[in-house]
Amino acid sequence: MSLLALPPSLDADALWSLIVEAVATHARQHGADLRDCLVLLPQATLLPQAQAAWQRHATGQGWSPRFETTQTLAERIAPAPRAPAAALRFDAASDRLQAAAFLREARPDWSRHDPQGHALAVARITASAQALARARLAQRPERRAAWLAQARALLAPADGPDGFERSLARLALEWSLQAHAPGDAGLWPHVAGAGALVVVDAGTRDPLPAALAEHAAEAGVPTLRIDAALAIADATQAPARVELAVARDAEDEAQCCAALLLRALEANATPIALIAQDRGLVRRVRALLERRGVALRDETGWRLSTTRAGATVAGWLRAALAPQGPADAWLEALKSSPMPWPGADEIEAWLRRRGVTRLGALGGAAFDGAAAQAWDRWQQAQAPFPVAGRRSAAAWLDALHGLLDRAGQAEALAADAAGAQVFATLRLGPAWAGARAALPAAPLSAHEFTGWVDDVLEHTEFRPAAAQDAAIVVTPLARAALRPFALVVCPGADAVRLGAAPAPDPLLGDAVAAALGLPDVASRRDAETAAFAQMLRAERVVLLRREADGEEQLPASPLWRRLERALAGHAGVAAQPREARLLDAQPVERPAPSAPALVPTRLSASGAEALRSCPYRYFALQALGLAVREELDDEPDARDHGTWLHEVLQRFHAARPEPVSDAAADLAALHRAADAALATLARDDADFLPFHTSFALVAPRYVAWLHEAEAQGWRAQHTELPLEAALPVQDGEPATLLHGRLDRVDLNANGGPRWRIVDYKTGSTQRLKERVRHPLEDTQLAFYAALLMADRTLDADAIEAGYLALDDRHELPWIAHEGVGASAQALADGLAVELARLRAGAPMPALGEGQDCEHCDARGLCRRDHWAGAAAPASGGES
């Protein structure tokens, strides 16, 4: 076997010229016909490059040699034979199913008792079996028996802390013997019968081409190994002009990277390689470039699970398996599908109005209109789908395709590029009936099947069609080797993403992997280093990294440091590619809309408070009727807690028309009301447990407070009392109705009738005290007092009001609004005047002052943060 080492000074074009010349010379010297000369390349992306180089540099040489990789050659030699049912196929779908079947035979209850551990073991067995199979198949046929004996000895059963992992590794080894490898049997005699063999190595030291070369040489085939490896130490001899750039953070790095690429395109310095070392950052760069209309060819693709088609299939599966489950997950399946689901918006609005977060909470409730039709369609699509029991993957897949078909999604998914790959990968639909039947027949539970679908979509790449003539190619580091790029841009050159120590095989360990010829930590690090050094054959290389990820400081990659030392100060600093632009300030003035026709004729306490705190807030939320759509999140929050407490106290007082002297009886009744109110919320008991637990402290305090109030003569007369009252109007003015619902109204007949409004509050006690410190600023209690005074024709001194702070850690303080009757009269008079002004055309300006701005839903509309001379509010809430 001959060896030709190529010098580091060659760029990719010159290197290919020398490779072509070496192949032609090798065949000529040994009298081999070029048609019988086989050239093995390290990766398939180099096949077009090799063919083009031969056409450019080998004019007059006659026939072209056969350029192949070991994989393309094996597939060309023999089609894939029919594999046995339990064969290892190097396929994410079938291999994971088979690994799960093996584990269920060995430990039948594992998947039920520890589903996460079982799923992790399935993934590790599959990965180790595939790696072991590749290592065995890279051995020459006559050496495989010795390799297997060595592997079995190294993985022999042993006691100790690693005994369980050793047993899983042994299972992976035995399964790897059933590897389904197309063309393996004919690969070795084929290379032994070649007229001449040339193996091109870029420094990765792939064991299979090396073994084939050794086998061919011993069979008398003229064999040449071309070593195109490049060491980082030879950086000063390499043709690349190296530049280094350090950004502040991820966004700065992405912008610098995009600007570099744009400048290179303007200078026609193409083709360009964008190394996908940091996939998240590359996605951001891609978005920035697409804004400028720049096309990229992505050779890395992305996971099927992140495509719309993959998410649709997984979403519909989960929705069908949980017909009583979270409403938001079900709505997501309906609304994100490729085919629109009529009535989905109406159903969502219905659920939001009623606060229903789980489909199981619907009970006998009935939708109406378009929502009813959408619900009926869902019921018809979901009803035939099995939600329990165990069945084979093929049976589950038939049911899943039937669901998608009944839902009207199957045809649209099959017509989509990503959807077609989802169908092919999962074997969905009639076109894949044969492949579906060949899947392992072991029965799966619904949970296991869902996990399998997720794993398959997560571990399968989707590569969309792209313009082949795109000037920018997104490619992994290893695939950039030996390609003639004018510029290579490598972002993510930090110690986390480039040159970090890889993790050893979790089942085999590093020593066993090295002994059996599997990629160990050292070999994987060497392969990455070799691929990194190959970038130096480009005309220009720019390495970028960021100083920090959030608060975490990021040092430079070890490979960056090695390259800096090798260049000994000859590395350039990448010029700032972004151009600074001076823009004229265009401050936004405070809005002050006038909308006399939109002044509502009904006003709630929240509307009155909005009008008083910021007229623009009133304009947006009351006059225009805008509202924020809350998520249908099943996890309870503070608002759910408050709603539940109000419901608890209403139920308690409705069942207690007269005072009860027995505190224990009241406490028991209060807890019964709490349980009944929780059932109406249709919340998961575990999710609501923190609030339910805290109620154990609130309940006895409330009973004690109630008994003390009753001892003073107070009696609860109404709970959740709805009231309306008309504001005084001038001639010609339309009437305005104030309306609200009072949490509780008490009456005290001792010494003359007095009425008291009790408003239950959760949250900060200190904030409630600050609210009543200036009575005329407390809109809510004054508003409710105005309603009650109008309804009962009460004088100002006959009414009281206050907040009962239910969330206080130590007690249930009563926070009184002193002189609430006078505040109510002042509020009513002021509202009448203010509404009259608005109907006359007075503006409703955005005040933009105080803490109200911090959590205002209309802040994005008034553009508070962009006003002329406005400063961002401090963290403490001041504007």
Side-chain angles (χ1 to χ4, degrees):
M1 184 190 306
S2 304
L3 173 65
L4 173 62
L6 300 182
S9 58
L10 298 179
D11 62 18
D13 281 329
L15 182 139
W16 279 107
S17 174
L18 197 54
I19 290 175
V20 165
E21 181 182 345
V23 170
T25 301
H26 178 66
R28 185 171 58 252
Q29 287 177 345
H30 293 89
D33 193 318
L34 282 172
R35 289 177 296 181
D36 298 327
C37 182
L38 177 62
V39 182
L40 291 180
L41 302 175
Q43 56 190 11
T45 52
L46 297 178
L47 293 174
Q49 187 66 37
Q51 293 286 359
W54 184 267
Q55 294 175 7
R56 286 197 309 271
H57 303 295
T59 305
Q61 295 286 351
W63 292 94
S64 168
R66 289 180 296 148
F67 293 102
E68 303 279 2
T69 66
T70 54
Q71 183 176 355
T72 61
L73 180 61
E75 293 172 351
R76 200 183 305 277
I77 289 172
R82 186 174 182 82
L88 181 70
R89 303 165 187 262
F90 301 97
D91 172 79
S94 61
D95 285 352
R96 286 175 178 265
L97 281 177
Q98 188 57 56
F102 285 146
L103 281 182
R104 275 193 296 274
E105 291 179 8
R107 300 182 64 177
D109 296 333
W110 191 6
S111 62
R112 185 172 66 254
H113 294 155
D114 183 12
Q116 291 183 337
H118 180 268
L120 181 61
V122 166
R124 288 180 172 177
I125 288 173
T126 303
S128 295
Q130 292 175 352
L132 286 164
R134 292 188 180 96
R136 184 179 68 86
L137 295 174
Q139 302 292 319
R140 294 171 58 176
E142 66 273 14
R143 298 177 183 173
R144 291 179 182 176
W147 180 91
L148 178 59
Q150 181 189 14
R152 284 174 170 163
L154 289 171
L155 298 176
D159 296 329
D162 64 340
F164 179 63
E165 284 76 11
R166 181 71 62 87
S167 66
L168 295 181
R170 184 62 181 264
L171 173 59
L173 173 64
E174 299 303 325
W175 185 26
S176 73
L177 303 181
Q178 305 177 47
H180 170 59
D184 174 63
L187 191 60
W188 302 89
H190 186 86
V191 296
L197 176 66
V198 178
V199 176
V200 179
D201 185 4
T204 57
R205 303 293 187 265
D206 190 348
L208 181 54
L212 289 170
E214 182 185 14
H215 179 70
E218 291 183 5
V221 177
T223 303
L224 171 64
R225 187 171 75 86
I226 299 179
D227 186 1
L230 183 63
I232 295 179
D234 297 327
T236 56
Q237 304 176 46
R241 184 174 82 254
V242 179
E243 300 173 21
L244 308 174
V246 180
R248 295 186 306 277
D249 50 30
E251 179 61 22
D252 190 37
E253 185 178 3
Q255 291 185 16
C256 286
C257 185
L260 274 168
L261 298 172
L262 290 171
R263 297 295 175 268
L265 289 176
E266 292 172 359
N268 202 28
T270 58
I272 304 168
L274 174 58
I275 305 300
Q277 199 65 31
D278 181 349
R279 288 299 300 165
L281 185 136
V282 168
R283 283 195 297 271
R284 175 61 178 152
V285 172
R286 182 172 190 148
L288 292 171
L289 293 177
E290 286 177 347
R291 293 179 184 176
R292 303 290 293 270
V294 177
L296 295 87
R297 184 170 82 249
D298 195 337
E299 297 179 348
T300 60
W302 48 83
R303 293 167 181 166
L304 267 181
S305 59
T306 63
T307 64
R308 181 181 183 183
T312 295
V313 171
W316 275 94
L317 173 60
R318 280 184 167 76
L321 287 172
Q324 306 297 312
D328 58 346
W330 173 66
L331 284 170
E332 179 66 22
L334 262 61
K335 299 183 71 174
S336 64
S337 300
M339 289 301 294
W341 191 266
D345 289 336
E346 287 76 5
I347 284 186
E348 182 177 11
W350 190 95
L351 294 173
R352 289 183 187 281
R353 285 197 302 270
R354 289 158 178 81
V356 176
T357 62
R358 299 187 70 85
L359 299 180
L362 289 173
F367 295 103
D368 51 20
Q373 296 177 8
W375 178 254
D376 290 343
R377 283 189 62 211
W378 158 250
Q379 295 284 67
Q380 294 170 11
Q382 188 276 335
F385 190 87
V387 296
R390 301 179 70 86
R391 47 190 50 81
S392 67
W396 278 116
L397 289 169
D398 284 335
L400 176 56
H401 186 267
L403 170 71
L404 296 172
D405 190 40
R406 291 188 297 274
Q409 307 298 325
E411 186 176 349
L413 286 169
D416 175 71
Q421 187 172 340
V422 170
F423 275 35
T425 302
L426 295 177
R427 282 78 161 169
L428 272 174
W432 300 97
R436 189 162 58 251
L439 290 173
L444 304 173
S445 67
H447 177 78
E448 290 168 341
F449 176 69
T450 304
W452 173 74
V453 169
D454 289 341
D455 285 343
V456 171
L457 296 179
E458 183 70 13
H459 290 85
T460 305
E461 279 191 354
F462 169 65
R463 297 180 186 174
Q468 293 303 308
D469 58 349
I472 301 176
V473 179
V474 181
T475 186
L477 183 62
R479 292 185 195 164
L482 309 185
R483 297 170 69 177
F485 292 115
L487 170 64
V488 175
V489 179
C490 181
D494 53 67
V496 173
R497 297 168 181 84
L498 180 65
D505 188 295
L507 295 185
L508 303 177
D510 208 48
V512 172
L516 296 179
L518 278 73
D520 60 342
V521 170
S523 63
R524 282 185 287 169
R525 184 187 287 113
D526 290 345
E528 184 181 33
T529 302
F532 177 82
Q534 284 293 340
M535 292 193 303
L536 300 176
R537 294 197 186 276
E539 296 178 23
R540 180 186 174 203
V541 174
V542 180
L543 301 178
L544 297 101
R545 68 175 181 90
R546 71 197 72 156
E547 293 178 329
D549 267 335
E551 296 182 357
E552 180 186 0
Q553 296 299 308
L554 289 180
S557 163
L559 300 181
W560 170 304
R561 297 298 188 198
R562 287 178 60 182
L563 184 58
E564 275 190 317
R565 290 194 297 269
L567 291 171
H570 290 87
V573 177
Q576 171 56 262
R578 291 171 293 180
E579 295 179 357
R581 290 189 299 164
L582 293 177
L583 302 177
D584 293 334
Q586 296 180 348
V588 177
E589 298 299 330
R590 296 191 186 206
S594 175
L598 296 180
V599 177
T601 56
R602 287 173 57 83
L603 190 65
S604 65
S606 60
E609 189 159 10
L611 179 60
R612 299 188 74 199
S613 63
C614 176
Y616 187 88
R617 182 179 181 182
Y618 166 84
F619 167 73
L621 303 183
Q622 304 294 321
L624 295 181
L626 304 178
V628 175
R629 280 191 169 187
E630 301 292 341
E631 290 294 327
L632 282 172
D633 189 357
D634 196 46
E635 182 176 349
D637 55 17
R639 179 178 298 181
D640 297 315
H641 180 214
T643 302
W644 174 67
L645 281 176
H646 279 68
E647 176 72 13
V648 169
L649 296 177
Q650 181 187 17
R651 287 174 175 270
F652 170 72
H653 284 286
R656 186 182 183 271
E658 296 295 333
V660 176
S661 59
D662 187 350
D666 268 345
L667 186 61
L670 195 55
H671 279 289
R672 288 194 299 272
D675 293 337
L678 182 59
T680 65
L681 291 179
R683 294 288 186 183
D684 189 293
D685 289 348
D687 290 339
F688 213 79
L689 183 60
F691 296 137
H692 203 280
T693 302
S694 68
F695 184 72
L697 299 176
V698 173
R701 295 174 184 171
Y702 183 80
V703 170
W705 179 87
L706 176 64
H707 282 218
E708 181 181 352
E710 289 178 341
Q712 297 171 2
W714 293 105
R715 300 290 184 268
Q717 297 295 305
H718 307 282
T719 56
E720 299 297 323
L721 176 65
L723 292 178
E724 286 187 350
L727 278 177
V729 296
Q730 300 176 0
D731 293 339
E733 285 283 328
T736 298
L737 284 179
L738 307 184
H739 67 95
R741 184 178 294 272
L742 282 60
D743 291 347
R744 178 174 144 191
V745 177
D746 290 356
L747 175 64
N748 192 329
N750 294 340
R754 288 180 295 144
W755 295 86
R756 182 172 72 173
I757 299 171
V758 179
D759 195 75
Y760 307 130
K761 286 296 182 186
T762 57
S764 169
T765 301
Q766 183 61 34
R767 188 169 297 175
L768 294 174
K769 291 179 178 179
E770 291 175 359
R771 180 182 293 189
V772 300
R773 185 172 298 154
H774 304 286
L776 293 180
E777 298 298 321
D778 179 23
T779 303
Q780 185 175 0
L781 288 179
F783 189 94
Y784 289 161
L787 287 175
L788 189 62
M789 289 168 62
D791 184 73
R792 299 288 193 273
T793 318
L794 302 176
D795 294 332
D797 56 359
I799 189 169
E800 300 177 17
Y803 297 111
L804 186 61
L806 301 176
D807 270 357
D808 193 88
R809 293 183 178 182
H810 307 292
E811 56 179 345
L812 258 65
W814 170 253
I815 304 169
H817 179 130
E818 302 296 342
V820 71
S823 299
Q825 290 178 344
L827 176 67
D829 294 341
L831 286 176
V833 173
E834 191 64 23
L835 291 173
R837 289 182 61 251
L838 296 180
R839 291 192 182 98
M844 290 176 276
L847 296 180
E849 302 293 342
Q851 198 173 31
D852 288 335
C853 282
E854 286 298 295
H855 306 289
C856 178
D857 292 334
R859 182 166 183 148
L861 296 177
C862 79
R863 309 287 287 172
R864 161 70 180 82
D865 300 300
H866 303 277
W867 293 348
S875 58
E878 295 299 325
S879 285

